Amino acid sequence: MNKILIIDDDRELCALIKRSVQAENIEADSCNTGKEGLQKLREQEYQLVVLDVMMPGMDGFETLEEIRKENSLPILMFTSKNDSISKVRGLRAGADDYLTKPFDMDELIARIASLIRRYTRFNQQAGAIQKLNFDGLQIDLENRSVTTSNGTFELPPKEFDLLLYCAKHQGKILTKQQIYEEVWGEEYFYDDSNIMAIISRLRKKLEVNPSSPKYIQTVKGIGYRFNKEV
């Protein structure tokens, strides 16, 4: 059974989340400080962490940075409503997704389940995986080609690398800085024209309707996300 760790100083919310995920056959532990959370992660194995930004002492960002030094498991962060700075900061520091408070519990459960599925999928097959299969799209890692309803064809290096990076992080919101530094291997200088041009070309090649993309979707004001539903 999958098990998650909730790190939030709101004890009532922790209890509510625990009851809700347990109803979905997901076990949960909770703690109320970042230091306690780090200790639990060293003692037990979890499939996901739910982490609040605003906590006394070690805040969510500091806790996130410490977790990422030792662990690659998915992390979902809670941020305050309309706090775009915290969202971007958390994503850049290694969070996989975020949810603003107050939130709908059904949405939280859905996001937790999606992140666990993605993490399990890629980590179980990481040593042998050669092809990624999605709804209507196959990415061949060995031959650096893609297959759609229009056939099999190769992509230019940057197009393939960008597509693969997004697909390997399916469901995760990726900032433009993360994409640029990963695909280009250079420091990001807030010039989004290269990213936008490549994504536009990919959509024309992969999508039935490029104006309503099925695969790489835009997250307004932040970056892009490979559709977790395909």
Side-chain angles (χ1 to χ4, degrees), residues 124-186:
Q124 284 182 342
Q125 304 180 37
I129 191 167
Q130 293 297 322
K131 295 180 180 179
L132 300 179
N133 292 291
F134 305 98
D135 183 14
L137 172 66
Q138 181 183 83
I139 304 174
D140 188 324
L141 281 67
E142 183 175 9
N143 296 313
R144 295 179 65 84
S145 64
V146 297
T147 300
T148 70
S149 58
N150 294 323
T152 300
F153 51 92
E154 293 183 3
L155 293 172
K158 283 290 188 291
E159 290 182 21
F160 185 86
D161 291 345
L162 193 154
L163 174 64
L164 181 60
Y165 179 60
C166 292
K168 281 186 171 181
H169 295 82
Q170 183 182 16
K172 177 178 179 178
I173 300 171
L174 301 169
T175 66
K176 295 171 184 176
Q177 178 177 354
Q178 287 175 314
I179 294 172
Y180 189 86
E181 292 180 350
E182 172 67 25
V183 175
W184 275 264
E186 301 172 358

Side-chain angles (χ1 to χ4, degrees), residues 7-140:
I7 308 175
D8 194 313
D9 62 328
D10 186 333
R11 296 176 185 273
E12 291 185 5
L13 179 60
C14 287
L16 176 59
I17 295 173
K18 285 180 69 173
R19 290 195 299 271
S20 299
V21 298
Q22 286 168 352
E24 300 295 327
N25 294 317
I26 299 173
E27 293 185 2
D29 286 338
S30 66
C31 54
N32 307 118
T33 68
K35 288 185 177 181
E36 186 181 355
L38 293 173
Q39 186 61 37
K40 282 185 174 292
L41 285 166
R42 295 185 186 106
E43 296 172 348
Q44 298 186 51
E45 182 177 349
Y46 298 94
Q47 279 67 54
L48 177 138
V49 172
V50 175
L51 176 63
D52 189 30
V53 168
M54 301 298 294
M55 293 188 296
M58 179 182 286
D59 67 18
F61 297 121
E62 294 173 296
T63 306
L64 171 62
E65 290 172 1
E66 290 301 315
I67 293 173
R68 281 291 174 252
K69 291 178 182 179
E70 304 175 7
N71 209 313
S72 62
L73 85 173
I75 298 173
L76 188 153
M77 293 195 78
F78 289 147
T79 65
S80 300
K81 189 175 182 180
N82 300 323
D83 186 359
S84 59
I85 294 176
S86 291
K87 295 171 188 175
V88 173
R89 181 180 173 187
L91 291 168
R92 286 177 176 172
D96 294 89
D97 203 353
Y98 66 85
L99 201 58
T100 57
K101 290 183 175 180
F103 55 84
D104 180 81
M105 188 59 68
D106 288 339
E107 182 179 2
L108 173 63
I109 299 301
R111 293 197 185 203
I112 288 173
S114 176
L115 286 168
I116 290 175
R117 281 197 305 271
R118 177 173 59 78
Y119 177 74
T120 304
R121 173 187 184 185
F122 287 117
N123 278 275
Q124 284 182 342
Q125 304 180 37
I129 191 167
Q130 293 297 322
K131 295 180 180 179
L132 300 179
N133 292 291
F134 305 98
D135 183 14
L137 172 66
Q138 181 183 83
I139 304 174
D140 188 324

